[in-house]
Every structure is written in C-alpha cells, then in structure tokens.
C-alpha cells in the first residue's frame, strides 16, 4: 500500500515508500509529479483517471477506483485507488489518498476460477464420453453417431448435453429406463432424418 498527497496551488505531489514501490521505483529515483502518475495509468484508464482527478479536486467525498497501473518495469498491476479531497480552511487545496496493490489477490482469484472451470469442463467431457460409450454399445453405433444423436436430442428436448449424458449414466442402474432413454435418443434422430 502507498500513500500520496497532491497540493494543487504548488503542483506538488508527494509519495511515501509504498507509492515508489508500487510504481517500481526506489525512493529518490525520481521526483513524483502528477503527469508521471498519469503516465503510469494503463492507457485504457488514463482519460478516466484525469476525470476522477478533477472530480477529487472539487468533490466533498472519497472516490474509490480500480485500474491497471504500469510500473517502471512495464509490469501491469491491478490497484485500488482511494482519493479524498485535501481540505484546509473550508477550501479544497488538493487531494490525498492511498493506492493498494491487489495484483496478487486478483491473480490468485483468477487462477482459482480458471482451474475450477477447467476441472468442471473435464468432468463434463468425461461424462459425455461415457454416455457416448453407452450409446455405442447399446445401439451399435459409432462414436460420431453417438455424439450426433446426443447433440440433436439435446436440442430437441432443450437440455444440455452434459446433463443428458448424466441422465444416461444414472439410468445404467435400471436396464429398462436405460433402454427406453437410449432408444428415445436414437429414435428421435431417425425421425428427424425421415422428415428432411
């Protein structure tokens, strides 16, 4: 986390050590300026950054904003800025605030979400492959035909293929239900083909 203050009368910007670190500098490497600060804002966010800066100089309350900051080594960082007007004697003299680097938590959350999505996708594919196998064995059809029948039946009954595939696997415990379900899936395709 870093803290900053900007005095508009003198165009003076001060950073604490945390601000230098977030921007990829050591204290004393550079003299912070408002333009340098805007230059580190990701290009897609710069216009909004300027508008929020102007708003902070006239507003009466805090502003919170997420954006991408590009540090001195050109590494993108996700940050949360909390900006407050700096008021002295009832007049807004500038702004102050904090910058919180949330890159690692956002990256970790994204990685977890991606891993979960991949795992779910793999589970669904496994269920579909098993259901195709059941259709291939019970209806003496090829893998391509089995998938085509699953797909068309899925569209006809408006049910996701993965859910339909799970229905087939669940029906394995009862041969009568399985026979009825697999025949319905395959009979539907044959009926569709006759009407073309």
């Amino acid at each position: 986390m870093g803290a900053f203050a900007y005095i508009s009368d003198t165009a003076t910007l001060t950073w604490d050590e945390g601000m230098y670190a977030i921007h990829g500098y050591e204290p004393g490497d550079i003299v912070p300026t408002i333009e340098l600060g805007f230059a580190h804002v990701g290009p897609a966010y710069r216009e909004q950054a300027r508008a929020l800066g102007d708003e902070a100089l006239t507003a009466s309350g805090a502003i919170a904003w997420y954006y991408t900051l590009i540090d001195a080594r050109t590494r993108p960082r996700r940050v949360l800025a909390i900006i407050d007007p700096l008021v002295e004697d009832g007049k807004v003299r500038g702004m102050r605030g904090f910058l919180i680097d949330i890159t690692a938590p956002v990256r970790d959350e994204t990685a977890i979400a991606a891993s979960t999505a991949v795992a779910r996708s793999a589970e669904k594919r496994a269920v579909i492959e098993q259901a195709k196998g059941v259709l291939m064995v019970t209806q003496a059809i090829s893998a391509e035909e089995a998938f085509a029948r699953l797909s068309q039946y899925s569209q006809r009954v408006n049910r996701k293929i993965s859910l339909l595939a799970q229905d087939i696997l669940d029906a394995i415990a009862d041969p009568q239900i399985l026979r009825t379900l697999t025949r319905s899936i395959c009979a539907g395709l044959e009926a569709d083909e006759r009407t073309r």
Side-chain angles (χ1 to χ4, degrees):
M1 183 172 86
F4 67 90
Y6 175 70
I7 309 300
S8 50
D9 291 346
T10 59
T12 306
L13 179 64
T14 56
W15 286 356
D16 72 356
E17 288 184 15
M19 284 294 285
Y20 281 99
I22 290 171
H23 286 82
Y25 298 109
E26 291 292 326
D29 282 354
I30 50 96
V31 174
T33 65
I34 200 77
E35 287 308 314
L36 177 70
F38 286 132
H40 280 283
V41 174
Y45 300 91
R46 282 190 192 139
E47 189 174 317
Q48 187 180 15
R50 289 189 185 280
L52 288 171
D54 291 343
E55 184 180 335
L57 292 172
T58 58
S60 58
I63 298 168
W65 177 50
Y66 290 100
Y67 69 96
T68 299
L69 177 145
I70 309 299
D71 74 11
R73 296 181 197 133
T74 67
R75 295 176 303 188
R77 295 184 175 280
R78 289 296 292 163
V79 294
L80 168 62
I82 302 167
I83 307 166
D84 231 348
L86 184 58
V87 180
E88 293 175 1
D89 301 324
K91 286 183 77 174
V92 176
R93 301 285 184 194
M95 62 182 141
R96 64 181 169 199
F98 299 96
L99 212 56
I100 302 167
D101 187 349
I102 57 172
T103 305
V106 169
R107 181 186 59 235
D108 294 347
E109 188 175 305
T110 302
I112 290 167
S115 295
T116 302
V118 168
R120 285 185 186 145
S121 177
E123 287 172 14
K124 287 179 181 178
R125 278 196 309 273
V127 168
I128 292 169
E129 289 302 315
Q130 291 172 19
K132 279 172 42 182
V134 170
L135 283 177
M136 290 165 64
V137 169
T138 61
Q139 301 299 308
I141 57 178
S142 70
E144 293 78 21
E145 269 186 282
F147 186 75
R149 292 175 187 218
L150 271 172
S151 180
Q152 289 186 1
Y153 189 75
S154 164
Q155 290 174 8
R156 191 154 35 102
V157 297
N158 196 24
R159 187 160 169 83
K160 290 182 178 180
I161 292 177
S162 60
L163 296 176
L164 179 58
Q166 187 61 56
D167 292 344
I168 293 169
L169 298 184
D170 292 344
I172 289 174
D174 186 328
Q176 182 59 41
I177 293 173
L178 180 63
R179 188 170 25 260
T180 302
L181 180 57
T182 56
R183 284 182 180 163
S184 294
I185 291 168
C186 293
L189 181 63
E190 290 160 5
D192 289 346
E193 288 173 349
R194 281 195 300 270
T195 58
R196 284 184 192 159

